[in-house]
Amino acid sequence: MSMTVSQTEIGFASFVAVSSLVAIAAVLSNRLTVWLRIPAPALFLLAAAVVSAVLPQVDRLSLFSVRHLVTVALILVLFDGGMSIGWSKFRPALGPIVLLGVVGTLLTAAVMAVSIHYLFGVGWLSALLVGTALAPTDPAAVFSVLDRREVVGRSGIILQGEAGANDPVGVALMVGLLSAGSSGLFTAGTTAGGFALQMVVGGLVGLLGGGLMLLMMRRVVLPSEGLYPLQVLFAALSVYGLATLARGSGFLAVFVAGIMLGDARAPFKREIRRFHGALASFGEILAFSLLGLVVPLRTVIAQGTWVVGLALAVLLTFVVRPLIIGGLLTAVRLRWGERIFIVWSGLKGAMPILLGTFILTSQVTQEVRFFDLIFIVVAFSVLVQGSLVPVVARWCRVPTRTVPLKPWVVGIRLEQEPPGMHCFTVHEGAPAEGRPLHDLSRDEGVWISLVARDGEQILADGQTVLRAGDEVLVASTDVRRPDIERIFEGTRGTAAAEGAGGGD
């Protein structure tokens, strides 16, 4: 019995095969970018732009389709970013995050607009649009070149929080400018009112949505554990949609909801975190690749737009951000090395190019040259700034620690939440360091059931002495969690995300 395959099926199969192979290559390229010390997003962005230039048929993608797909990708990235921070880490750094993410973004957009207007003779509204697009930062590009090393202390949290906050701020400001410009009522008051509405409504919807999501995660029983991550995914997407429909910032709502879930205990929390971490990685690849496909690389090179874009990139990197963000950081209790590291590591990423598509699809202006300028600034940022991030971290003596991959998990599934069970990493200088397990049980009222050292479980008994870096599973019914954190981490409210969000 012979089977014939239609040309449509052959075409679809070819598309699936080629797309999957390209996706595999994109995932594997992360190892190449670590070796080259180039952020992975830079490779995705530039490779897609080259493909678009070589294969003109690829360039037929609708800007609206790309904009909507990248929006979904950034929702995934922001939600996972909020969960990776969590409320316990976000709360102590709230002041600096708001200062940099909101005030710093608005000042950066304003200063860049003034510079573009006077240096290149661009109209005020267009200059404000381009300046707004160039203001947000992207921490994913920073951490992709650190190769499984995380920044220890407040500087890493501030970097993550700044990017999580300034993405919604950039979108809200862009929407306000475009709305005011399209209506012909472009005034500072109109734009400020629209911006304030987006921020307030987005924050409130995020708080309410995060609370309802947590309640749903704890109370709603599903027939399969695989449905729990999907439930949270669709809830996060609905938070974005509802906030946007209410004329708020959907990105801010999603980020806030992620923060509320970050270190909250809930069933299947580990599976939810891993699922959304994978989705965020996929979202990053998708966003940069799609945005690279719509960049007119031939036009950028032929018309010499890259010269102006390079001048803007140098101005933003070496003048505007150091003056604004560096100045704001003088009010934050950090070492000078940490301040310099934060200033340098404010890389541009997918959000500026996404905001560029807002400009191209608006009724205010569809000037392609502005989109080209934004692309050049982003390419310079991820290539030049990004490749030097590890060097700057060493020069500034910013503490980092290796986060090894741990492919094996030891655990027991329980039907009910175990009271008093916590997972911690022993920090250097903490009261638990250098003490045997027997003393901790007798003096502190905590019982340690499992110890992992250097990525391997060790056979522990009462005489086992804990070292810095050991991971421990702790049981206690009489000691409050903040007091247990003090014992093993030396400070309050700095529990690892895995431990704080366990609950499974």
Side-chain angles (χ1 to χ4, degrees):
M1 180 178 178
S2 62
M3 272 178 54
T4 59
V5 182
S6 67
Q7 289 299 117
T8 302
E9 292 173 325
I10 292 175
F12 176 72
S14 301
F15 171 77
V16 171
V18 173
S19 301
S20 301
L21 290 173
V22 170
I24 292 174
V27 173
L28 295 177
S29 68
N30 278 276
R31 299 311 308 161
L32 177 63
T33 59
V34 170
W35 179 64
L36 295 175
R37 292 302 181 191
I38 296 175
L43 189 61
F44 306 146
L45 184 67
L46 296 178
V50 171
V51 169
S52 177
V54 174
L55 302 174
Q57 60 270 27
V58 177
D59 194 30
R60 296 174 186 170
L61 288 171
S62 165
L63 275 175
F64 285 99
S65 299
V66 170
R67 173 176 157 182
H68 294 154
L69 288 172
V70 173
T71 296
V72 174
L74 290 178
I75 291 172
L76 303 177
V77 172
L78 280 172
F79 183 67
D80 179 70
M83 284 202 297
S84 68
I85 297 175
W87 179 245
S88 64
K89 292 180 181 178
F90 182 80
R91 182 177 54 194
L94 177 60
I97 289 173
V98 172
L99 190 64
L100 301 188
V102 179
V103 179
T105 303
L106 295 176
L107 289 177
T108 300
V111 173
M112 288 301 297
V114 171
S115 303
I116 293 169
H117 174 74
Y118 285 108
L119 291 178
F120 304 107
V122 178
W124 275 114
L125 179 56
S126 298
L128 280 169
L129 292 174
V130 177
T132 299
L134 295 177
T137 59
D138 181 8
V142 177
F143 300 120
S144 67
V145 297
L146 292 177
D147 188 21
R148 298 204 308 270
R149 297 188 67 83
E150 66 177 16
V151 179
V152 179
R154 298 180 74 198
S155 54
I157 299 172
I158 291 173
L159 264 177
Q160 281 185 294
E162 178 197 3
N166 64 24
D167 282 358
V169 169
V171 173
L173 184 57
M174 178 66 72
V175 171
L177 289 170
L178 292 175
S179 298
S182 61
S183 65
L185 300 174
F186 173 61
T187 63
T190 303
T191 304
F195 172 79
L197 177 65
Q198 289 229 9
M199 291 291 99
V200 172
V201 173
L204 291 176
V205 173
L207 289 172
L208 180 60
L212 291 176
M213 288 170 66
L214 183 58
L215 184 65
M216 180 177 62
M217 291 165 63
R218 290 173 172 171
R219 299 291 179 85
V220 177
V221 179
L222 300 175
S224 169
E225 68 179 55
L227 294 177
Y228 284 85
L230 292 176
Q231 173 187 247
V232 174
L233 168 63
F234 296 134
L237 293 173
S238 68
V239 166
Y240 170 86
L242 292 173
T244 304
L245 289 174
R247 298 190 178 183
S249 171
F251 288 113
L252 178 61
V254 167
F255 183 61
V256 171
I259 290 174
M260 293 188 64
L261 300 183
D263 43 22
R265 296 173 66 87
F268 299 102
K269 185 65 178 296
R270 187 185 299 271
E271 285 76 9
I272 292 171
R273 287 293 310 276
R274 288 178 176 173
F275 176 78
H276 283 274
L279 281 182
S281 298
F282 172 72
E284 180 186 346
I285 294 174
L286 179 66
F288 278 92
S289 299
L290 285 174
L291 293 172
L293 289 177
V294 298
V295 172
L297 196 57
R298 294 177 180 175
T299 306
V300 172
I301 297 175
Q303 296 184 356
T305 312
W306 65 273
V307 177
V308 179
L310 188 60
L312 285 178
V314 172
L315 176 68
L316 178 60
T317 304
F318 295 99
V319 179
V320 176
R321 183 169 173 87
L323 285 177
I324 294 176
I325 302 301
L328 293 175
L329 282 173
T330 57
V332 182
R333 296 182 58 183
L334 290 171
R335 293 187 300 104
W336 276 105
E338 291 177 308
R339 293 173 184 168
I340 294 173
F341 177 74
I342 292 174
V343 168
W344 179 261
S345 300
L347 305 188
K348 307 304 169 185
M351 183 56 74
I353 304 182
L354 175 63
L355 294 178
T357 65
F358 277 64
I359 299 175
L360 282 184
T361 55
S362 71
Q363 298 178 359
V364 177
T365 176
Q366 296 180 340
E367 178 61 65
V368 177
R369 180 169 56 104
F370 297 153
F371 188 80
D372 298 347
L373 293 176
I374 295 168
F375 170 76
I376 293 298
V377 173
V378 172
F380 174 88
S381 181
V382 293
L383 282 172
V384 178
Q385 279 182 267
S387 60
L388 292 176
V389 164
V391 178
V392 174
R394 288 196 300 270
W395 285 352
C396 296
R397 297 182 180 180
V398 173
T400 61
R401 62 183 173 208
T402 301
V403 182
L405 295 176
K406 300 172 183 178
W408 302 101
V409 177
V410 177
I412 299 176
R413 291 285 185 184
L414 301 174
E415 293 186 8
Q416 302 296 327
E417 178 182 356
M421 295 295 295
H422 308 283
C423 181
F424 294 100
T425 299
V426 180
H427 288 192
E428 186 175 354
E433 183 187 13
R435 296 178 64 181
L437 303 188
H438 174 73
D439 288 0
L440 291 172
S441 176
R442 180 192 62 200
D443 300 336
E444 306 290 354
V446 294
W447 179 66
I448 299 176
S449 58
L450 187 146
V451 179
R453 179 173 296 164
D454 299 327
E456 297 182 1
Q457 180 186 356
I458 64 173
L459 298 176
D461 56 26
Q463 302 305 315
T464 301
V465 177
L466 293 180
R467 304 176 186 173
D470 286 352
E471 293 180 272
V472 294
L473 183 63
V474 183
S476 175
T477 56
D478 300 326
V479 184
R480 296 186 306 113
R481 180 180 178 84
D483 295 327
I484 303 177
E485 290 179 2
R486 177 190 56 78
I487 296 169
F488 292 97
E489 300 185 349
T491 56
R492 296 176 182 266
T494 57
E498 282 282 335
D504 61 336

PDB file of all heavy atoms in Angstrom, residues 413-442:
ATOM      1  N   ARG A 413       8.209  12.661  48.082  1.00  0.00           N
ATOM      2  CA  ARG A 413       6.943  13.330  47.844  1.00  0.00           C
ATOM      3  C   ARG A 413       5.996  13.110  49.021  1.00  0.00           C
ATOM      4  O   ARG A 413       5.868  11.999  49.522  1.00  0.00           O
ATOM      5  CB  ARG A 413       6.303  12.783  46.572  1.00  0.00           C
ATOM      6  CG  ARG A 413       7.041  13.167  45.293  1.00  0.00           C
ATOM      7  CD  ARG A 413       6.763  14.607  44.963  1.00  0.00           C
ATOM      8  NE  ARG A 413       7.351  14.978  43.686  1.00  0.00           N
ATOM      9  CZ  ARG A 413       7.320  16.194  43.196  1.00  0.00           C
ATOM     10  NH1 ARG A 413       6.723  17.148  43.883  1.00  0.00           N
ATOM     11  NH2 ARG A 413       7.874  16.475  42.048  1.00  0.00           N
ATOM     12  N   LEU A 414       5.337  14.208  49.437  1.00  0.00           N
ATOM     13  CA  LEU A 414       4.376  14.146  50.538  1.00  0.00           C
ATOM     14  C   LEU A 414       3.051  14.740  50.080  1.00  0.00           C
ATOM     15  O   LEU A 414       3.015  15.638  49.240  1.00  0.00           O
ATOM     16  CB  LEU A 414       4.896  14.930  51.755  1.00  0.00           C
ATOM     17  CG  LEU A 414       6.240  14.470  52.340  1.00  0.00           C
ATOM     18  CD1 LEU A 414       6.674  15.437  53.427  1.00  0.00           C
ATOM     19  CD2 LEU A 414       6.143  13.062  52.896  1.00  0.00           C
ATOM     20  N   GLU A 415       1.964  14.226  50.626  1.00  0.00           N
ATOM     21  CA  GLU A 415       0.651  14.748  50.272  1.00  0.00           C
ATOM     22  C   GLU A 415       0.368  16.092  50.934  1.00  0.00           C
ATOM     23  O   GLU A 415      -0.375  16.916  50.397  1.00  0.00           O
ATOM     24  CB  GLU A 415      -0.441  13.741  50.666  1.00  0.00           C
ATOM     25  CG  GLU A 415      -0.404  12.454  49.862  1.00  0.00           C
ATOM     26  CD  GLU A 415      -1.582  11.548  50.192  1.00  0.00           C
ATOM     27  OE1 GLU A 415      -2.493  12.007  50.926  1.00  0.00           O
ATOM     28  OE2 GLU A 415      -1.588  10.409  49.732  1.00  0.00           O
ATOM     29  N   GLN A 416       0.928  16.324  52.122  1.00  0.00           N
ATOM     30  CA  GLN A 416       0.696  17.562  52.855  1.00  0.00           C
ATOM     31  C   GLN A 416       2.000  18.336  52.980  1.00  0.00           C
ATOM     32  O   GLN A 416       3.088  17.752  52.956  1.00  0.00           O
ATOM     33  CB  GLN A 416       0.137  17.266  54.255  1.00  0.00           C
ATOM     34  CG  GLN A 416      -1.165  16.477  54.239  1.00  0.00           C
ATOM     35  CD  GLN A 416      -2.299  17.235  53.588  1.00  0.00           C
ATOM     36  OE1 GLN A 416      -2.370  18.472  53.668  1.00  0.00           O
ATOM     37  NE2 GLN A 416      -3.210  16.507  52.930  1.00  0.00           N
ATOM     38  N   GLU A 417       1.898  19.666  53.125  1.00  0.00           N
ATOM     39  CA  GLU A 417       3.088  20.504  53.284  1.00  0.00           C
ATOM     40  C   GLU A 417       3.812  20.148  54.570  1.00  0.00           C
ATOM     41  O   GLU A 417       3.211  20.136  55.648  1.00  0.00           O
ATOM     42  CB  GLU A 417       2.699  21.983  53.325  1.00  0.00           C
ATOM     43  CG  GLU A 417       3.880  22.905  53.534  1.00  0.00           C
ATOM     44  CD  GLU A 417       3.466  24.363  53.615  1.00  0.00           C
ATOM     45  OE1 GLU A 417       2.271  24.650  53.430  1.00  0.00           O
ATOM     46  OE2 GLU A 417       4.334  25.200  53.888  1.00  0.00           O
ATOM     47  N   PRO A 418       5.127  19.828  54.486  1.00  0.00           N
ATOM     48  CA  PRO A 418       5.870  19.475  55.700  1.00  0.00           C
ATOM     49  C   PRO A 418       6.143  20.710  56.556  1.00  0.00           C
ATOM     50  O   PRO A 418       6.801  21.646  56.093  1.00  0.00           O
ATOM     51  CB  PRO A 418       7.172  18.885  55.151  1.00  0.00           C
ATOM     52  CG  PRO A 418       7.332  19.516  53.810  1.00  0.00           C
ATOM     53  CD  PRO A 418       5.951  19.752  53.283  1.00  0.00           C
ATOM     54  N   PRO A 419       5.655  20.758  57.778  1.00  0.00           N
ATOM     55  CA  PRO A 419       5.903  21.943  58.622  1.00  0.00           C
ATOM     56  C   PRO A 419       7.346  21.972  59.101  1.00  0.00           C
ATOM     57  O   PRO A 419       7.920  20.961  59.494  1.00  0.00           O
ATOM     58  CB  PRO A 419       4.939  21.739  59.793  1.00  0.00           C
ATOM     59  CG  PRO A 419       4.738  20.258  59.865  1.00  0.00           C
ATOM     60  CD  PRO A 419       4.811  19.756  58.448  1.00  0.00           C
ATOM     61  N   GLY A 420       7.939  23.150  59.038  1.00  0.00           N
ATOM     62  CA  GLY A 420       9.278  23.323  59.589  1.00  0.00           C
ATOM     63  C   GLY A 420      10.395  22.760  58.752  1.00  0.00           C
ATOM     64  O   GLY A 420      11.531  22.636  59.259  1.00  0.00           O
ATOM     65  N   MET A 421      10.191  22.400  57.479  1.00  0.00           N
ATOM     66  CA  MET A 421      11.254  21.875  56.626  1.00  0.00           C
ATOM     67  C   MET A 421      11.781  23.000  55.735  1.00  0.00           C
ATOM     68  O   MET A 421      11.013  23.684  55.067  1.00  0.00           O
ATOM     69  CB  MET A 421      10.743  20.722  55.761  1.00  0.00           C
ATOM     70  CG  MET A 421      10.329  19.497  56.549  1.00  0.00           C
ATOM     71  SD  MET A 421      11.719  18.701  57.407  1.00  0.00           S
ATOM     72  CE  MET A 421      12.689  18.149  56.023  1.00  0.00           C
ATOM     73  N   HIS A 422      13.105  23.189  55.746  1.00  0.00           N
ATOM     74  CA  HIS A 422      13.713  24.275  54.994  1.00  0.00           C
ATOM     75  C   HIS A 422      15.026  23.796  54.384  1.00  0.00           C
ATOM     76  O   HIS A 422      15.691  22.895  54.911  1.00  0.00           O
ATOM     77  CB  HIS A 422      13.992  25.486  55.882  1.00  0.00           C
ATOM     78  CG  HIS A 422      12.807  25.947  56.673  1.00  0.00           C
ATOM     79  ND1 HIS A 422      11.779  26.674  56.131  1.00  0.00           N
ATOM     80  CD2 HIS A 422      12.480  25.735  57.984  1.00  0.00           C
ATOM     81  CE1 HIS A 422      10.871  26.921  57.056  1.00  0.00           C
ATOM     82  NE2 HIS A 422      11.268  26.365  58.190  1.00  0.00           N
ATOM     83  N   CYS A 423      15.412  24.426  53.272  1.00  0.00           N
ATOM     84  CA  CYS A 423      16.681  24.135  52.616  1.00  0.00           C
ATOM     85  C   CYS A 423      17.520  25.403  52.614  1.00  0.00           C
ATOM     86  O   CYS A 423      17.034  26.472  52.227  1.00  0.00           O
ATOM     87  CB  CYS A 423      16.439  23.642  51.190  1.00  0.00           C
ATOM     88  SG  CYS A 423      17.959  23.241  50.303  1.00  0.00           S
ATOM     89  N   PHE A 424      18.784  25.311  53.068  1.00  0.00           N
ATOM     90  CA  PHE A 424      19.665  26.469  53.141  1.00  0.00           C
ATOM     91  C   PHE A 424      21.053  26.123  52.621  1.00  0.00           C
ATOM     92  O   PHE A 424      21.444  24.950  52.585  1.00  0.00           O
ATOM     93  CB  PHE A 424      19.816  26.972  54.589  1.00  0.00           C
ATOM     94  CG  PHE A 424      18.552  27.516  55.179  1.00  0.00           C
ATOM     95  CD1 PHE A 424      17.787  26.748  56.036  1.00  0.00           C
ATOM     96  CD2 PHE A 424      18.130  28.800  54.886  1.00  0.00           C
ATOM     97  CE1 PHE A 424      16.624  27.235  56.588  1.00  0.00           C
ATOM     98  CE2 PHE A 424      16.964  29.300  55.436  1.00  0.00           C
ATOM     99  CZ  PHE A 424      16.214  28.522  56.295  1.00  0.00           C
ATOM    100  N   THR A 425      21.781  27.159  52.242  1.00  0.00           N
ATOM    101  CA  THR A 425      23.203  27.038  51.935  1.00  0.00           C
ATOM    102  C   THR A 425      23.981  27.747  53.032  1.00  0.00           C
ATOM    103  O   THR A 425      23.681  28.897  53.370  1.00  0.00           O
ATOM    104  CB  THR A 425      23.534  27.673  50.579  1.00  0.00           C
ATOM    105  OG1 THR A 425      22.811  26.994  49.548  1.00  0.00           O
ATOM    106  CG2 THR A 425      25.024  27.574  50.278  1.00  0.00           C
ATOM    107  N   VAL A 426      24.964  27.076  53.611  1.00  0.00           N
ATOM    108  CA  VAL A 426      25.754  27.651  54.707  1.00  0.00           C
ATOM    109  C   VAL A 426      26.658  28.738  54.139  1.00  0.00           C
ATOM    110  O   VAL A 426      27.477  28.471  53.244  1.00  0.00           O
ATOM    111  CB  VAL A 426      26.590  26.560  55.413  1.00  0.00           C
ATOM    112  CG1 VAL A 426      27.410  27.189  56.541  1.00  0.00           C
ATOM    113  CG2 VAL A 426      25.676  25.468  55.961  1.00  0.00           C
ATOM    114  N   HIS A 427      26.517  29.957  54.630  1.00  0.00           N
ATOM    115  CA  HIS A 427      27.328  31.077  54.171  1.00  0.00           C
ATOM    116  C   HIS A 427      28.589  31.213  55.025  1.00  0.00           C
ATOM    117  O   HIS A 427      28.617  30.827  56.203  1.00  0.00           O
ATOM    118  CB  HIS A 427      26.535  32.378  54.231  1.00  0.00           C
ATOM    119  CG  HIS A 427      25.479  32.461  53.164  1.00  0.00           C
ATOM    120  ND1 HIS A 427      24.808  33.627  52.877  1.00  0.00           N
ATOM    121  CD2 HIS A 427      24.983  31.529  52.332  1.00  0.00           C
ATOM    122  CE1 HIS A 427      23.936  33.403  51.909  1.00  0.00           C
ATOM    123  NE2 HIS A 427      24.032  32.145  51.561  1.00  0.00           N
ATOM    124  N   GLU A 428      29.611  31.779  54.411  1.00  0.00           N
ATOM    125  CA  GLU A 428      30.862  32.003  55.135  1.00  0.00           C
ATOM    126  C   GLU A 428      30.638  32.988  56.278  1.00  0.00           C
ATOM    127  O   GLU A 428      30.038  34.042  56.104  1.00  0.00           O
ATOM    128  CB  GLU A 428      31.919  32.550  54.174  1.00  0.00           C
ATOM    129  CG  GLU A 428      33.298  32.689  54.792  1.00  0.00           C
ATOM    130  CD  GLU A 428      34.345  33.113  53.777  1.00  0.00           C
ATOM    131  OE1 GLU A 428      34.007  33.190  52.573  1.00  0.00           O
ATOM    132  OE2 GLU A 428      35.491  33.370  54.190  1.00  0.00           O
ATOM    133  N   GLY A 429      31.104  32.633  57.464  1.00  0.00           N
ATOM    134  CA  GLY A 429      30.953  33.487  58.634  1.00  0.00           C
ATOM    135  C   GLY A 429      29.652  33.314  59.379  1.00  0.00           C
ATOM    136  O   GLY A 429      29.441  33.961  60.412  1.00  0.00           O
ATOM    137  N   ALA A 430      28.750  32.464  58.869  1.00  0.00           N
ATOM    138  CA  ALA A 430      27.474  32.224  59.557  1.00  0.00           C
ATOM    139  C   ALA A 430      27.718  31.411  60.828  1.00  0.00           C
ATOM    140  O   ALA A 430      28.711  30.688  60.945  1.00  0.00           O
ATOM    141  CB  ALA A 430      26.515  31.484  58.635  1.00  0.00           C
ATOM    142  N   PRO A 431      26.817  31.514  61.822  1.00  0.00           N
ATOM    143  CA  PRO A 431      27.002  30.763  63.075  1.00  0.00           C
ATOM    144  C   PRO A 431      27.139  29.255  62.876  1.00  0.00           C
ATOM    145  O   PRO A 431      27.775  28.580  63.690  1.00  0.00           O
ATOM    146  CB  PRO A 431      25.735  31.109  63.870  1.00  0.00           C
ATOM    147  CG  PRO A 431      25.319  32.448  63.362  1.00  0.00           C
ATOM    148  CD  PRO A 431      25.664  32.444  61.906  1.00  0.00           C
ATOM    149  N   ALA A 432      26.533  28.712  61.797  1.00  0.00           N
ATOM    150  CA  ALA A 432      26.590  27.267  61.596  1.00  0.00           C
ATOM    151  C   ALA A 432      27.925  26.797  61.040  1.00  0.00           C
ATOM    152  O   ALA A 432      28.269  25.610  61.175  1.00  0.00           O
ATOM    153  CB  ALA A 432      25.469  26.825  60.658  1.00  0.00           C
ATOM    154  N   GLU A 433      28.698  27.695  60.438  1.00  0.00           N
ATOM    155  CA  GLU A 433      29.964  27.284  59.830  1.00  0.00           C
ATOM    156  C   GLU A 433      30.946  26.813  60.908  1.00  0.00           C
ATOM    157  O   GLU A 433      31.148  27.471  61.932  1.00  0.00           O
ATOM    158  CB  GLU A 433      30.583  28.440  59.045  1.00  0.00           C
ATOM    159  CG  GLU A 433      31.870  28.033  58.319  1.00  0.00           C
ATOM    160  CD  GLU A 433      32.587  29.203  57.680  1.00  0.00           C
ATOM    161  OE1 GLU A 433      32.226  30.360  58.002  1.00  0.00           O
ATOM    162  OE2 GLU A 433      33.516  28.974  56.893  1.00  0.00           O
ATOM    163  N   GLY A 434      31.544  25.652  60.663  1.00  0.00           N
ATOM    164  CA  GLY A 434      32.544  25.119  61.580  1.00  0.00           C
ATOM    165  C   GLY A 434      31.973  24.430  62.807  1.00  0.00           C
ATOM    166  O   GLY A 434      32.724  24.075  63.713  1.00  0.00           O
ATOM    167  N   ARG A 435      30.663  24.241  62.851  1.00  0.00           N
ATOM    168  CA  ARG A 435      30.055  23.595  64.011  1.00  0.00           C
ATOM    169  C   ARG A 435      29.524  22.217  63.643  1.00  0.00           C
ATOM    170  O   ARG A 435      28.988  22.015  62.544  1.00  0.00           O
ATOM    171  CB  ARG A 435      28.906  24.456  64.548  1.00  0.00           C
ATOM    172  CG  ARG A 435      29.369  25.808  65.076  1.00  0.00           C
ATOM    173  CD  ARG A 435      28.207  26.641  65.549  1.00  0.00           C
ATOM    174  NE  ARG A 435      27.501  26.056  66.676  1.00  0.00           N
ATOM    175  CZ  ARG A 435      26.438  26.601  67.251  1.00  0.00           C
ATOM    176  NH1 ARG A 435      25.955  27.753  66.789  1.00  0.00           N
ATOM    177  NH2 ARG A 435      25.839  26.005  68.261  1.00  0.00           N
ATOM    178  N   PRO A 436      29.648  21.237  64.525  1.00  0.00           N
ATOM    179  CA  PRO A 436      29.107  19.901  64.256  1.00  0.00           C
ATOM    180  C   PRO A 436      27.592  19.891  64.357  1.00  0.00           C
ATOM    181  O   PRO A 436      26.980  20.724  65.039  1.00  0.00           O
ATOM    182  CB  PRO A 436      29.752  19.038  65.338  1.00  0.00           C
ATOM    183  CG  PRO A 436      30.092  19.972  66.437  1.00  0.00           C
ATOM    184  CD  PRO A 436      30.412  21.289  65.794  1.00  0.00           C
ATOM    185  N   LEU A 437      26.978  18.926  63.695  1.00  0.00           N
ATOM    186  CA  LEU A 437      25.520  18.847  63.664  1.00  0.00           C
ATOM    187  C   LEU A 437      24.933  18.635  65.053  1.00  0.00           C
ATOM    188  O   LEU A 437      23.844  19.139  65.355  1.00  0.00           O
ATOM    189  CB  LEU A 437      25.077  17.711  62.732  1.00  0.00           C
ATOM    190  CG  LEU A 437      25.559  17.775  61.278  1.00  0.00           C
ATOM    191  CD1 LEU A 437      24.878  16.686  60.461  1.00  0.00           C
ATOM    192  CD2 LEU A 437      25.287  19.147  60.679  1.00  0.00           C
ATOM    193  N   HIS A 438      25.655  17.900  65.892  1.00  0.00           N
ATOM    194  CA  HIS A 438      25.147  17.642  67.243  1.00  0.00           C
ATOM    195  C   HIS A 438      24.984  18.940  68.024  1.00  0.00           C
ATOM    196  O   HIS A 438      23.982  19.135  68.729  1.00  0.00           O
ATOM    197  CB  HIS A 438      26.095  16.696  67.976  1.00  0.00           C
ATOM    198  CG  HIS A 438      25.724  16.497  69.419  1.00  0.00           C
ATOM    199  ND1 HIS A 438      24.635  15.746  69.804  1.00  0.00           N
ATOM    200  CD2 HIS A 438      26.283  16.989  70.568  1.00  0.00           C
ATOM    201  CE1 HIS A 438      24.548  15.755  71.124  1.00  0.00           C
ATOM    202  NE2 HIS A 438      25.535  16.505  71.614  1.00  0.00           N
ATOM    203  N   ASP A 439      25.943  19.858  67.899  1.00  0.00           N
ATOM    204  CA  ASP A 439      25.863  21.135  68.620  1.00  0.00           C
ATOM    205  C   ASP A 439      24.685  21.972  68.125  1.00  0.00           C
ATOM    206  O   ASP A 439      24.000  22.628  68.922  1.00  0.00           O
ATOM    207  CB  ASP A 439      27.160  21.927  68.437  1.00  0.00           C
ATOM    208  CG  ASP A 439      28.311  21.307  69.222  1.00  0.00           C
ATOM    209  OD1 ASP A 439      28.082  20.286  69.889  1.00  0.00           O
ATOM    210  OD2 ASP A 439      29.434  21.835  69.135  1.00  0.00           O
ATOM    211  N   LEU A 440      24.447  21.973  66.811  1.00  0.00           N
ATOM    212  CA  LEU A 440      23.332  22.748  66.276  1.00  0.00           C
ATOM    213  C   LEU A 440      22.006  22.210  66.778  1.00  0.00           C
ATOM    214  O   LEU A 440      21.095  22.973  67.100  1.00  0.00           O
ATOM    215  CB  LEU A 440      23.361  22.724  64.741  1.00  0.00           C
ATOM    216  CG  LEU A 440      24.513  23.488  64.077  1.00  0.00           C
ATOM    217  CD1 LEU A 440      24.526  23.224  62.582  1.00  0.00           C
ATOM    218  CD2 LEU A 440      24.377  24.983  64.337  1.00  0.00           C
ATOM    219  N   SER A 441      21.890  20.891  66.858  1.00  0.00           N
ATOM    220  CA  SER A 441      20.652  20.294  67.358  1.00  0.00           C
ATOM    221  C   SER A 441      20.439  20.626  68.823  1.00  0.00           C
ATOM    222  O   SER A 441      19.326  20.958  69.244  1.00  0.00           O
ATOM    223  CB  SER A 441      20.690  18.776  67.154  1.00  0.00           C
ATOM    224  OG  SER A 441      19.549  18.180  67.719  1.00  0.00           O
ATOM    225  N   ARG A 442      21.505  20.585  69.604  1.00  0.00           N
ATOM    226  CA  ARG A 442      21.401  20.824  71.049  1.00  0.00           C
ATOM    227  C   ARG A 442      21.224  22.306  71.371  1.00  0.00           C
ATOM    228  O   ARG A 442      20.372  22.680  72.190  1.00  0.00           O
ATOM    229  CB  ARG A 442      22.673  20.309  71.727  1.00  0.00           C
ATOM    230  CG  ARG A 442      22.698  20.489  73.253  1.00  0.00           C
ATOM    231  CD  ARG A 442      24.098  20.223  73.768  1.00  0.00           C
ATOM    232  NE  ARG A 442      25.043  21.172  73.196  1.00  0.00           N
ATOM    233  CZ  ARG A 442      26.363  20.968  73.155  1.00  0.00           C
ATOM    234  NH1 ARG A 442      26.875  19.835  73.605  1.00  0.00           N
ATOM    235  NH2 ARG A 442      27.154  21.873  72.614  1.00  0.00           N
TER     236      ARG A 442
END
